[in-house]
Amino acid sequence: QVQLVESGGGLVQAGGCLRLSCVASGRTFSSYTMGWFRQAPGKEREFVGAIVWSAGNTYYADSVKGRFTISRDNDKNTVYLQMNSLKPEDTAVYYCAADRQGYPFSDYTRLRSYDYWGQGTQVTVSS
């Protein structure tokens, strides 16, 4: 059974940084694409970024490009989202997701491409 467990959220001031972790278990993820999404109150869940596990290619939404970085640790089966220069508009619940079909066979920006989701972790950025 696939499990994705996020951690690392919290309260931070604008301009600060956080690192989110997503520990994946229950499967070999080398062929997967792993995505990060977020959902602010009253808004739809949106794409933040993705990493192709095997190759390490990363892709980002324009709103976070240059501030957020996704990486993975193969030994720990963990994907990270390093968030720098945080803004109040980054406040949201952040979700990790796994797409078993993987890039380039599916669209990593779309929610429906992902088969498994974590429970989410809250990130709050104060102004």
Side-chain angles (χ1 to χ4, degrees):
Q1 181 180 352
V2 173
Q3 257 197 321
L4 304 176
V5 180
E6 304 101 329
S7 62
L11 173 65
V12 64
Q13 287 189 327
C17 59
L18 282 174
R19 188 177 79 159
L20 306 184
S21 300
C22 171
V23 179
S25 62
R27 200 64 59 87
T28 300
F29 292 90
S30 56
S31 63
Y32 281 51
T33 293
M34 304 296 292
W36 284 98
F37 289 77
R38 67 186 181 185
Q39 188 166 18
K43 295 188 176 181
E44 293 187 350
R45 194 169 299 190
E46 65 175 6
F47 171 74
V48 173
I51 184 167
V52 178
W53 196 296
S54 57
N57 299 355
T58 54
Y59 307 92
Y60 300 96
D62 288 343
S63 58
V64 305
K65 203 171 292 184
R67 299 188 298 123
F68 290 11
T69 303
I70 299 175
S71 61
R72 87 277 194 240
D73 184 325
N74 291 329
D75 292 337
K76 295 182 179 179
N77 246 25
T78 301
V79 176
Y80 301 100
L81 178 65
Q82 177 67 45
M83 306 185 294
N84 298 330
S85 302
L86 282 161
K87 305 175 182 180
E89 51 263 44
D90 295 318
T91 295
V93 177
Y94 283 71
Y95 297 90
C96 173
D99 169 14
R100 61 186 172 186
Q101 192 170 31
Y103 177 86
F105 304 108
S106 60
D107 183 345
Y108 53 78
T109 68
R110 302 185 68 181
L111 274 72
R112 65 173 63 185
S113 294
Y114 292 84
D115 305 285
Y116 307 102
W117 291 83
Q119 82 288 350
T121 185
Q122 176 70 47
V123 171
T124 302
V125 184
S126 63
S127 57

